Amino acid sequence: MFMLNDVDAAYIAGLFDGEGSITYKQYMRRRKGKNKAYPTWNIQMEISMTEYSIMVWLLEVLGCGSVNKRPPHKTSMGKKMQYRWRCSHRDAYYVCCLIWPYAHIKLPKIQKIIEHYASKKLEENNVINLNEYKIRKDMIKK
């Protein structure tokens, strides 16, 4: 597993505390044409800001997530372009494990995400090696 140095992990935790958003919510979802609803989890982390270089740095250092542009509204003259780094589900779990010791404001939601994945049944066939997962994910994208 990739390890961050303490300074970078603390800086990223501070970014999440100040500029970030963490969603940990379960809702019921219905399929088209079906009456029965099933539970679905929405687990994601994101940071929005106008400084593009920080978003690229996050992407490189963490090795997960994506960066998207969010242009200002037509009515907001003089506003800067906003950039959003976002990750979800197991990538969010990975980031939470890295920044957990340094988080303050977002700590309760970070702990919920860690507990959510830590409580999963860890059978030999169900354990995922994060490095192998990322390599497979990159190969599929190509």
Side-chain angles (χ1 to χ4, degrees), residues 1-2 94 128-137:
M1 186 174 206
F2 176 72
Y94 165 70
I128 295 174
N129 181 333
L130 190 60
N131 291 331
E132 290 176 13
Y133 169 77
K134 288 187 182 301
I135 291 170
R136 285 187 205 148
K137 189 175 168 183

Side-chain angles (χ1 to χ4, degrees), residues 111-123:
Q111 286 177 324
K112 284 182 182 179
I113 291 172
I114 291 172
E115 289 168 5
H116 175 83
Y117 285 105
S119 67
K120 299 290 182 192
K121 192 174 182 181
L122 295 177
E123 297 175 357

Side-chain angles (χ1 to χ4, degrees), residues 8-18 99-104 106 110:
D8 288 345
Y11 183 75
I12 293 169
L15 282 175
F16 270 103
D17 280 345
I99 67 172
W100 175 79
Y102 309 101
H104 294 284
K106 302 289 194 288
I110 288 172

